[in-house]
Amino acid sequence: MSRYLPPGSYPHVPSCSASIASGGESLHPLLRHLLRVAPDRTEVLALFGEAPQLAEEAALQQAGGQMLEMFMPDEPLSYRARGQRLEVLFRRMLEHALSLAINARCALGQAEAEEAERPAAHAMLVAYVAAQQVVGARRMAMDLYNGRER
């Protein structure tokens, strides 16, 4: 392997399987990083002996969009104020999900050493759900920013 990796590449971390609907959407670098660090659905399901009841990615993403929409004020805002408010709300969700994903990866590494797999599996499940919700929140933020009806 080359000593020099392109910026943002993490060859030892599996990537999240979140599919972005339009395929060609450009993602913010932190969102791309989150999707690289967060576990994907198959990785999460493999950690459990019997598959947990886990909603489909589309439902998780829709829930994330609904959460962001719920915290958006109903009063009319100027275009700039709306963008700033959405940025603050989305950034909080993104940072929280990134923190969960990083902590889950650390917990997984510790679980392998301690043979205590359940807390690590739960952390990976929570990180996966949070990452999917951020994908949906991003879509909702763009819709709200562009003034599309909720």
Side-chain angles (χ1 to χ4, degrees), residues 55-77:
E56 294 298 319
E57 286 183 356
L60 296 172
Q61 292 171 7
Q62 182 180 7
Q66 291 170 344
M67 279 192 286
L68 184 106
E69 183 180 26
M70 185 173 52
F71 292 113
M72 194 60 191
D74 285 334
E75 70 267 5
L77 297 171

Side-chain angles (χ1 to χ4, degrees), residues 6-140:
S9 74
Y10 300 93
H12 304 293
V13 178
S15 63
C16 184
S17 66
S19 57
I20 306 297
S22 68
E25 291 184 69
S26 64
L27 298 177
H28 187 280
L30 282 177
L31 182 56
R32 276 197 312 262
H33 178 64
L34 170 65
L35 295 178
R36 276 190 214 101
V37 173
D40 65 9
R41 186 179 190 86
T42 54
E43 184 179 5
V44 168
L45 293 176
L47 291 172
F48 291 89
E50 57 185 62
Q53 297 236 345
L54 184 58
E56 294 298 319
E57 286 183 356
L60 296 172
Q61 292 171 7
Q62 182 180 7
Q66 291 170 344
M67 279 192 286
L68 184 106
E69 183 180 26
M70 185 173 52
F71 292 113
M72 194 60 191
D74 285 334
E75 70 267 5
L77 297 171
S78 70
Y79 196 68
R80 183 182 181 108
R82 183 173 52 225
Q84 289 172 341
R85 177 73 176 152
L86 286 166
E87 174 71 24
V88 167
L89 291 173
F90 178 74
R91 183 65 66 146
R92 285 184 189 155
M93 289 182 76
L94 178 63
E95 289 173 353
H96 179 69
L98 190 54
S99 172
L100 288 171
I102 291 170
N103 289 337
R105 293 286 176 196
C106 293
L108 189 62
Q110 292 172 356
E112 291 170 358
E114 299 172 2
E115 299 292 327
E117 201 169 301
R118 284 295 176 210
H122 182 263
M124 293 289 277
L125 176 65
V126 171
Y128 166 74
V129 169
Q132 294 304 313
Q133 289 174 340
V134 167
V135 170
R138 178 194 174 272
R139 284 193 193 122
M140 179 59 72

